[in-house]
Amino acid sequence: MKKLFLCCLLFNFIQFTHAEDLENNVRDYIKSGDWSDFKIVDSSFGRVAATRAATEDKRTNTTLAFTYPTHDKCKLAPVEIIYKLDKRLDNDSEFEAYGNIQVDSGALRRVEAKIIQERGNEFVFIVVPDSNLDDMAQKGKTITVNFKGYGVVEFSLNGAKSAIGNAKSECKNFDFS
């Protein structure tokens, strides 16, 4: 199931990665508690295009992913929250929405996000352009996300500090900007 999520994430996020088997583009998959980190490589040249740290809420089949592209000085790309649906979507849609993110019992953070739904896909992508959500995630035990219509999702942060640190560090090794 995790490999399926990773493949879908890679396909929808890294537009310049075109391969028949996207799983072949994942390198050095490392598990850290409830999190994992890995490199995403270009299939043509084997160059590292990005690194990623991700986790899942198994109860809701939802993934939280932090991506660091090597072509952008390893700055955090917009954070992705990916909901797996029970059926494929009938229509394309893209719209802005507000939701809440909270680390542990800290202050509730209201965020604006883009919700992307593609016809024929069984995933809904919520893209949050927050530049320090990864820093917040390294300082807590849980992160709770709530967008109207998608319910409350809770991600464990056990292993987040290690996975995010690894992803950032590895990205810098391949940064060509």
Side-chain angles (χ1 to χ4, degrees):
M1 183 59 115
K2 284 188 179 196
K3 288 185 179 183
L4 175 64
F5 275 117
L6 293 175
C7 287
C8 290
L9 291 171
L10 294 173
F11 180 75
N12 284 298
F13 184 75
I14 306 296
Q15 296 297 322
F16 54 85
T17 304
H18 300 285
E20 290 182 29
D21 187 358
L22 291 174
E23 209 170 74
N24 290 337
N25 293 352
V26 173
R27 298 281 188 271
D28 303 332
Y29 186 90
I30 300 171
K31 190 86 170 125
S32 301
D34 295 328
W35 282 69
S36 58
D37 64 271
F38 51 92
K39 296 178 193 114
I40 303 166
V41 298
D42 179 307
S43 61
S44 302
F45 302 105
R47 160 185 82 73
V48 174
T51 57
R52 176 173 272 185
T55 190
E56 288 183 71
D57 176 350
K58 293 183 192 305
R59 178 183 59 84
T60 61
N61 263 341
T62 305
T63 301
L64 173 64
F66 299 120
T67 304
Y68 303 92
T70 58
H71 70 278
D72 193 19
K73 299 181 181 175
C74 296
K75 290 185 222 164
L76 178 65
V79 175
E80 292 179 316
I81 303 160
I82 301 102
Y83 290 84
K84 184 175 186 312
L85 305 175
D86 294 331
K87 64 177 187 157
R88 296 192 181 277
L89 295 163
D90 295 330
N91 299 315
D92 289 336
S93 69
E94 189 172 310
F95 56 94
E96 303 290 323
Y98 286 94
N100 298 316
I101 295 178
Q102 183 178 25
V103 175
D104 296 333
S105 58
L108 194 64
R109 187 174 189 168
R110 187 107 169 118
V111 295
E112 185 175 5
K114 183 181 290 187
I115 299 182
I116 303 168
Q117 301 176 356
E118 295 178 357
R119 184 174 173 256
N121 197 338
E122 59 185 324
F123 298 95
V124 172
F125 292 82
I126 297 181
V127 181
V128 181
D130 194 314
S131 61
N132 71 345
L133 194 53
D134 58 341
D135 291 334
M136 290 174 51
Q138 294 182 67
K139 298 174 183 167
K141 294 183 181 184
T142 61
I143 189 166
T144 306
V145 176
N146 183 12
F147 280 86
K148 186 177 180 179
Y150 298 98
V152 176
V153 182
E154 189 173 278
F155 299 100
S156 166
L157 296 176
N158 175 29
K161 187 173 186 172
S162 177
I164 292 168
N166 287 345
K168 285 181 175 182
S169 175
E170 283 297 313
C171 184
K172 290 176 183 169
N173 290 336
F174 300 96
D175 179 16
F176 60 86
S177 54

